Each structure stands twice: as C-alpha cells, then as structure tokens.
Amino acid sequence: DTGVSQDPRHKITKRGQNVTFRCDPISEHNRLYWYRQTLGQGPEFLTYFQNEAQLEKSRLLSDRFSAERPKGSFSTLEIQRTEQGDSAMYLCASSLTGDYGYTFGSGTRLTVV
Amino acid sequence: AQSVTQPDIHITVSEGASLELRCNYSYGATPYLFWYVQSPGQGLQLLLKYFSGDTLVQGIKGFEAEFKRSQSSFNLRKPSVHWSDAAEYFCAVGVTGGFKTIFGAGTRLFVKA
C-alpha cells in the first residue's frame, strides 16, 4: 500500500476557471476527509465521507465546492468559478471507522491567479 | 466550541537540547488528542494520539506527550532534538465520532547546530 495519493501536486489556474482534485485513500480505509490549509494555519475541515456517503460538510464548503466519492473508493473535490481566496493546500486523509488518527496525503497546492 | 491553542508560533532549539511544545484545548467531553508533524510542502504525519488510560503517551521518532486534564493541556516533548526534527507541529482535538478534527495553528520548530 502506497498510502494516500493526491493528484495533482500543484495546480495553477486563472480566476473563474473550474478545477478538480483527486484523492486515492488507503484501500481498506472506509472514511475519507478533505481539509484545506492556508499559509500559517492548521488544516480546516471541509467534508467527510463514510464509504460513498458524504456525511458532513463544513460551512467553509460553499456552493462552488462539490465533493464525491463514487463506489466508496477514490474521491474528487471540484471547485467551480475559482476565486483568489481559494488559493490553499487541499489535503485528503483517510482512516478506518473507530480509528481517530488520520493518514494524510501530500496535498494539492492550488494557486488562483 | 472546540478549539486548540498553540501559544508559540515558532521555537528555536539547539541540536541535542530538549524540546517542549505547548498545546491547550477546549472541548466539553473527554478529548481525543493528537500531535501531527508537517515537513515543508508535505502532508501531515501522525506522531501520537491519546484517547484514555495512561496520560503519558509515546509516539514515533522519540516523541512523547502528556495529557493534563486539570490544565487542559497536551504538551509534546522530546529529550534530544535532531536537525531532522525541524518542521511544523500541529496539536489537534478529535470530535466524538471521529469524523472531524480541530487543528491548532501550528508551531514551527527550528533546530540550530
């Protein structure tokens, strides 16, 4: 198992464009999380999946953000009509039910110009 | 509301010296507490976690942390710091149910020769 994989590692996009990030969790992990981290801050919770069901979304996740986890495997996070304030590191993590520690991926750094 | 405070934005220690990183939390129930480490441009790695039982927990890379309920603290310690320990350290508290973790703003550790 290679851990949690995120793709791409870096993304530069123009304001107003749509972007999509992918996360492949550890294969046996049924929980998947998305966090956002801005410079000088700790990660902030965005959303959480248990298998394919999205069970919780933060108020940070505006209607321009959507996340999916089809078939309970990989997940995608899409941002529509990007804004400069969306520039951040987007982190994916996974875990097993009952295991409160996460395994994080290396993140996708988004820069909106 | 749950929160985590890391009072020190950055700390500098000499290689071989001891280290203590401070963390205070606010949480109504019995906390699930974590320390993560993040190297530049990377995701977070779990160092150690506390759920219950012995209040002194051992982690990876020679780190330990002590839970003090009376002080709402969970400080991270290492007896002898190595240059490779230079990184950002995040204290975090887990919400009951395990689907959400609240992170502190982090403490950047610098190690001088």
Side-chain angles (χ1 to χ4, degrees):
Chain A
D1 194 348
T2 56
V4 178
S5 299
Q6 292 189 246
D7 184 70
R9 289 295 308 274
H10 304 275
K11 178 72 176 178
I12 300 174
T13 191
K14 292 183 178 180
R15 189 176 53 183
Q17 298 295 304
N18 299 343
V19 294
T20 300
F21 310 140
R22 177 182 171 118
C23 172
D24 288 273
I26 292 174
S27 56
E28 61 265 30
H29 285 182
N30 60 336
R31 290 184 170 184
L32 186 147
Y33 315 81
W34 285 99
Y35 280 75
R36 181 172 69 185
Q37 185 180 22
T38 53
L39 201 61
Q41 298 298 317
E44 296 175 291
F45 173 80
L46 290 179
T47 190
Y48 146 71
F49 291 85
Q50 174 127 341
N51 301 311
E52 66 275 9
Q54 188 175 19
L55 298 184
E56 184 75 15
K57 291 196 298 185
S58 165
R59 285 172 290 178
L60 293 174
L61 215 63
S62 75
D63 57 4
R64 297 185 297 106
F65 289 71
S66 62
E68 295 182 340
R69 193 184 182 196
K71 302 180 182 178
S73 56
F74 71 92
S75 175
T76 58
L77 178 68
E78 181 183 15
I79 308 174
Q80 296 182 326
R81 305 180 304 281
T82 52
E83 303 172 355
Q84 286 190 319
D86 297 331
S87 295
M89 174 79 89
Y90 290 84
L91 294 163
C92 176
S94 68
S95 73
L96 284 167
T97 301
D99 184 356
Y100 286 73
Y102 298 162
T103 301
F104 277 91
S106 296
T108 294
R109 179 163 297 284
L110 173 67
T111 302
V112 181
V113 297
Chain B
Q2 307 95 341
S3 65
V4 177
T5 301
Q6 295 181 247
D8 303 305
I9 296 173
H10 54 80
I11 282 182
T12 301
V13 299
S14 298
E15 191 170 16
S18 64
L19 169 71
E20 182 168 26
L21 301 182
R22 296 183 292 163
C23 172
N24 293 96
Y25 67 90
S26 173
Y27 187 60
T30 301
Y32 298 82
L33 297 163
F34 310 89
W35 276 97
Y36 287 84
V37 61
Q38 184 178 35
S39 297
Q42 298 298 314
L44 285 75
Q45 181 183 21
L46 181 65
L47 285 176
L48 47 79
K49 55 189 175 184
Y50 170 79
F51 299 150
S52 63
D54 192 346
T55 56
L56 185 64
V57 293
Q58 302 297 320
I60 62 172
K61 305 185 179 186
F63 286 93
E64 66 178 26
E66 186 172 12
F67 170 60
K68 293 185 178 180
R69 184 185 299 276
S70 61
Q71 298 177 20
S72 297
S73 69
F74 189 57
N75 294 350
L76 182 71
R77 300 194 294 249
K78 187 170 185 178
S80 178
V81 168
H82 187 263
W83 65 266
S84 61
D85 293 324
E88 186 103 27
Y89 290 81
F90 293 94
C91 181
V93 60
V95 169
T96 302
F99 68 83
K100 182 178 177 180
T101 299
I102 309 297
F103 288 84
T107 297
R108 169 76 63 182
L109 173 64
F110 297 95
V111 180
K112 60 182 181 181

